[in-house]
């Protein structure tokens, strides 16, 4: 596995919360969160499906409780395993998943066109256009 795809050791992913990292893709830097789901670790892009300029993890870990990742803006809850929103203004939507793999206890981002950039935030504002587009496209 390429070094530029290595994110972190699995042990460093918190049991309650998320671990934020940044990837570089075709469109520049993007933030991704790692979250535990049962015995697995999954990754999602770091924005809510209600208002896509709202980050789930603002740098100190998103709220995770009872197997759900919580958007603290309007309390939407997303199932950690699937990213499915089971409550809130964007109910029925899914978080954008990012493909990762775990090899020998190390987490790698394996999605094409993404390279690991750094742990933590991108240092950029999300939703740079200033507009808000929710999952219904409105
Ligand atoms: S912005 Fe996340 S629930 Fe409204």
């Amino acid at each position: 596995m390429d070094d530029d795809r290595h994110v972190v050791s699995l042990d460093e992913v918190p049991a309650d919360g998320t671990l934020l990292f940044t990837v570089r893709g075709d469109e520049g830097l993007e933030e991704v969160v790692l979250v535990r789901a049962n015995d697995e670790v999954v990754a999602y892009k770091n924005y809510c499906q209600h208002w896509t300029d709202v980050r789930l993890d603002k740098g100190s870990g998103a709220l995770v409780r009872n197997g759900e990742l919580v958007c603290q803006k309007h309390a939407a809850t997303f199932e950690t395993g699937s990213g499915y929103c089971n409550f809130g203004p964007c109910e029925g939507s899914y978080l954008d998943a990012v493909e990762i793999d775990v090899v020998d206890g190390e987490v790698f981002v394996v999605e094409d066109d993404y390279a690991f950039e750094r742990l933590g935030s991108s240092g950029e504002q999300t939703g740079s256009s200033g507009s808000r587009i929710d999952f219904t496209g409105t």
Side-chain angles (χ1 to χ4, degrees), residues 13-119:
V13 181
D16 288 317
T18 54
L19 188 146
L20 176 65
F21 68 99
T22 298
V23 294
R24 180 174 295 282
D26 290 344
E27 313 227 333
L29 300 178
E30 293 190 63
E31 293 185 356
V32 180
V33 293
L34 290 174
V35 61
R36 289 188 181 269
N38 301 316
D39 293 334
E40 297 186 336
V41 172
V42 293
Y44 299 108
K45 292 187 181 176
N46 186 29
Y47 56 82
C48 186
Q49 294 297 300
H50 179 212
W51 288 352
T52 55
D53 60 338
V54 173
R55 300 154 77 209
L56 299 167
D57 183 334
K58 295 175 173 57
S60 55
L63 177 61
V64 176
R65 66 174 180 225
N66 301 325
E68 295 170 340
L69 206 164
V70 182
C71 175
Q72 297 193 61
K73 189 76 174 178
H74 307 109
T77 54
F78 300 88
E79 296 172 0
T80 52
S82 63
Y84 176 73
C85 180
N86 58 15
F87 174 81
C90 46
E91 186 172 341
S93 65
Y94 286 86
L95 295 175
D96 283 336
V98 174
E99 276 187 70
I100 58 166
D101 201 0
V102 179
V103 180
D104 295 332
E106 300 295 324
V107 180
F108 295 85
V109 61
V110 296
E111 185 141 338
D112 287 347
D113 305 327
Y114 280 156
F116 175 75
E117 181 75 13
R118 61 174 167 265
L119 291 176

